[in-house]
Amino acid sequence: MASGIPYTPKPATDIFTPYQTDINRRECKRIVPMRVLALGLGRTGTASLRAALKELGYTDTYHMMSASVENPPDCLCWMDAFAAKYEGKGKFGREEWDALFGHCQAVCDWPAVAFAKELIEAYPEAKIIITTRDVDSWHASVMKTVNWRANDPELKAVANFDWAAGLYHPMLRKFWKYFFNDDFEQSGKERFHDYYKEIRELVPPGKLLEYRVSSGWRPLCEYLGEPIPDKPFPRSNDADGFVQRCRTQNRKQMMNVIFRALVVGVPVVATALSATFAYTHHLPKVAQNTSLFTAAS
């Protein structure tokens, strides 16, 4: 637990987000082999690639949505990883990666890209893919989606009260700080070029697939040694859909907070009021009158 942040269970009152599981990955082990590291930056077709790998029979592909939507306690593992790499606290190696990714045969998207070198070293048996696209269109897409989300005041507000948002928002901010120096608008394109250069230098020639999802099934399947499915290549997670999904998530988490306040908060307030009434009821009459006069003033 390099970050020092303890695990806390999902509140029973979080009824508006039943799709969010509560698995403490810190206690998990690897149950399937890691086969693919897709280390292209987010917004280069990573969600489509995740869907494609599922179609090819890969047992889950880890994606940012795994932590942001599907199992929020994963964010604790990511905070541990950031603490170990960027803050010099504790360690995060193959054992910890296996705990986080042990149920997956592939990994893609951010925040995994912040640990590309570590993942390549941890899983030398895995095939490496980097999804990519035109840098200008990529930058524009991230500005409208993940950069907006990293600076979303609504998410920041609900994170103060909601279990899942309280796990996800600090992790997303940590990633934005360390990977993009918290200045994506000005430095994002340079970081794009530097990052892909780093990956090409890390992976030996012939062991890396540079892939655009617009090219469809053939280059992906040929590289992985898989038969080409007789169906269109999946397309998912467009910018408009991303923003709408995030806003819907905010609303559901706000509803969790309101419901918890109604279930837990109202009885607490009622108890406090009853105790206050009982206390003032037994005060000497002069003291009560003094209190009333002070309140009226």
Side-chain angles (χ1 to χ4, degrees), residues 154 158 249-259:
E154 194 172 80
V158 76
Q249 178 88 339
N250 286 350
R251 300 297 182 274
K252 290 179 178 180
Q253 290 172 334
M254 288 177 183
M255 290 169 73
N256 283 339
V257 173
I258 294 169
F259 182 70

Side-chain angles (χ1 to χ4, degrees), residues 47 58 82 173 230 268:
Y58 286 69
F82 283 119
R173 290 300 313 160
D230 186 20
V268 169

Side-chain angles (χ1 to χ4, degrees), residues 7-80:
Y7 161 78
T8 55
K10 181 179 181 179
T13 50
D14 280 12
I15 63 171
F16 295 98
T17 51
Y19 49 85
Q20 290 181 328
T21 57
D22 180 15
I23 302 169
N24 183 3
R25 300 281 185 210
R26 285 169 170 164
E27 299 178 351
C28 294
K29 304 291 183 182
R30 177 156 296 284
I31 57 175
V32 293
M34 178 64 77
R35 298 173 61 191
V36 174
L37 298 175
L39 300 174
L41 297 180
R43 306 308 302 170
T44 60
T46 53
S48 297
L49 178 61
R50 186 190 196 196
L53 290 173
K54 181 178 181 180
E55 180 64 37
L56 293 175
Y58 286 69
T59 305
D60 208 352
T61 296
Y62 200 95
H63 186 277
M64 175 66 101
M65 287 189 291
S66 302
S68 65
V69 177
E70 296 163 12
N71 191 64
D74 284 7
C75 295
L76 295 173
C77 294
W78 287 113
M79 293 295 275
D80 291 344

